[in-house]
Amino acid sequence: MEYDFKRPELEDRDLVNHYFFQAPGRSCERTFVNVFLWSRHYKVKFAVIRDALVFRDESAGYAFAYPAGEPEAVRNALEALMEYSKEKGHPFKLYNVTPEHFEQLDQWFPGRFRIEYVRDVADYVYETEKLATLAGKKLHGKRNHINKFKTLYPDCSYEHINDENVEECFQMALKWRNQNGCDDDAEKNAEMCVTLNSLRLYKELGLTGGILRVNGQIAAFSMGEPLCSDTFVVHIEKAFADIEGAYPMINQQFVQHECMDYKYVNREDDAGSEGLRKAKLSYRPAFMVEKGIVTEI
């Protein structure tokens, strides 16, 4: 059998969202924005198989993301993928599988598969109210950063990304790239390509963005979108490191202005970066969205 896997394009947005809406979750990969932007780097393509949405990562030995759709369609798609992998001579493999997905899989095919969770790709999910207020003893250090920032930069201001300021934001991102050695680091360069495309296509992708200004200049910006009914996901956050407190400030301001209609904020994974892991843990996540690799036993 053959399936017509293709790279996601802008015109596929409604189709992809249709299937994601049938199987909502809090994993940051379950948005069109994520798969569209990162498919340019990770060689991810999709197909609709037995009325379920399936992504295939060709850079990972033809591994598949857990199908999205109605439960019966997902089960049928999984059976089709097992047969497909067998015909192609590849071991059946699923990636970014959450505990909920694996529980469903194990109910349908008991004892047939195992999952190995990958800490580096686990998403950090926070209570929106706590990110907005930074209340409590455990976050007093964050409040101190914010207060110091306001003292150092009393003229700071927040604004939405719009057609009038998006080009200025684009130029700030290019300056950030030059300051952070992105040309010498493949992963950083890929992330910056995603960032620049997010800005270039923010309206087409339905992204919400916010800017932090210091002395009239953009010091930081953030971008995200609703992930499910109770969770907002932050895809992009960039700030100049030499502006002390810019990261904590854009984090709080973006949440206060854009995320208060949602109970949780998903700030994605740490990609195995020790510094990023320490920073994300310091905000005291409510829980992690674990994701793993599924293989046959």
Side-chain angles (χ1 to χ4, degrees):
M1 67 184 78
E2 286 297 333
Y3 297 110
D4 184 21
F5 283 92
K6 60 171 297 236
R7 191 172 76 168
E9 304 295 345
L10 284 175
E11 59 265 26
D12 300 311
R13 179 184 172 188
D14 289 345
L15 174 66
V16 170
N17 283 337
H18 167 74
Y19 287 100
F20 280 159
F21 290 158
Q22 290 180 0
R26 295 197 184 99
S27 173
C28 69
E29 286 82 14
R30 291 243 161 175
T31 76
F32 174 75
V33 170
N34 191 296
V35 296
F36 170 79
L37 292 171
W38 282 102
S39 65
R40 274 69 189 149
H41 177 64
Y42 285 116
K43 298 181 181 178
V44 172
K45 296 182 178 181
F46 81 94
V48 175
I49 298 174
R50 298 191 184 177
D51 201 28
L53 182 71
V54 176
F55 286 92
R56 183 179 74 187
D57 185 350
E58 296 183 0
S59 66
Y62 284 79
F64 304 97
Y66 197 81
E70 298 290 349
E72 191 59 30
V74 170
R75 178 174 183 168
N76 291 337
L78 286 166
E79 290 175 340
L81 293 175
M82 292 176 210
E83 185 62 30
Y84 179 82
S85 298
K86 185 177 179 181
E87 286 187 8
K88 296 296 181 181
H90 293 284
F92 178 69
K93 183 178 179 181
L94 299 171
Y95 64 93
N96 287 341
V97 180
T98 66
E100 292 79 13
H101 292 153
F102 187 70
E103 182 181 355
Q104 186 179 59
L105 180 70
D106 200 44
Q107 286 177 353
W108 290 330
F109 311 99
R112 185 170 168 182
F113 299 97
R114 63 171 169 264
I115 185 166
E116 181 180 348
Y117 291 104
V118 183
R119 176 62 178 83
D120 293 354
V121 301
D123 292 346
Y124 294 76
V125 181
Y126 306 85
E127 293 179 36
T128 304
E129 186 68 23
K130 288 187 177 180
L131 285 184
T133 64
L134 300 174
K137 184 183 296 185
K138 292 180 179 179
L139 293 173
H140 76 278
K142 302 299 181 185
R143 293 196 303 276
N144 290 341
H145 286 307
I146 295 293
N147 292 333
K148 185 174 182 180
F149 180 90
K150 290 178 178 178
T151 300
L152 291 171
Y153 310 106
D155 70 335
C156 66
S157 62
Y158 178 91
E159 62 193 61
H160 299 286
I161 289 179
N162 55 44
D163 289 351
E164 284 68 47
N165 58 31
V166 69
E167 177 58 30
E168 189 181 356
C169 201
F170 196 91
Q171 294 304 316
M172 179 271 186
L174 291 176
K175 186 176 179 181
W176 190 97
R177 181 180 69 177
N178 292 335
Q179 290 182 356
N180 287 271
C182 293
D183 290 339
D184 301 321
D185 186 310
E187 283 298 319
K188 279 187 178 180
N189 190 57
E191 183 186 348
M192 184 48 60
C193 287
V194 166
T195 299
L196 295 174
N197 281 330
S198 297
L199 289 166
R200 184 171 61 88
L201 299 169
Y202 83 98
K203 285 199 295 188
E204 292 88 342
L205 293 171
L207 285 166
T208 296
I211 289 170
L212 180 68
R213 288 189 184 273
V214 168
N215 300 325
Q217 303 298 310
I218 296 176
F221 70 92
S222 190
M223 303 185 79
E225 61 172 332
L227 179 56
C228 61
S229 62
D230 69 355
T231 306
F232 192 98
V233 58
V234 177
H235 291 303
I236 307 289
E237 186 179 84
K238 291 286 178 282
F240 288 135
D242 59 347
I243 300 179
E244 187 177 354
Y247 271 112
M249 191 66 175
I250 186 61
N251 184 337
Q252 185 194 50
Q253 289 294 298
F254 187 74
V255 170
Q256 288 182 349
H257 287 87
E258 318 298 349
C259 307
M260 298 309 295
D261 290 338
Y262 300 86
K263 183 177 181 179
Y264 298 110
V265 175
N266 180 325
R267 289 181 53 78
E268 299 197 345
D269 58 60
D270 59 36
S273 164
E274 184 177 344
L276 197 54
R277 180 168 299 183
K278 183 178 179 180
K280 293 197 173 190
L281 286 172
S282 71
Y283 275 94
R284 307 292 176 172
F287 58 89
M288 309 288 289
V289 178
E290 292 183 295
K291 289 169 277 188
I293 304 294
V294 165
T295 54
E296 288 196 75
I297 294 175

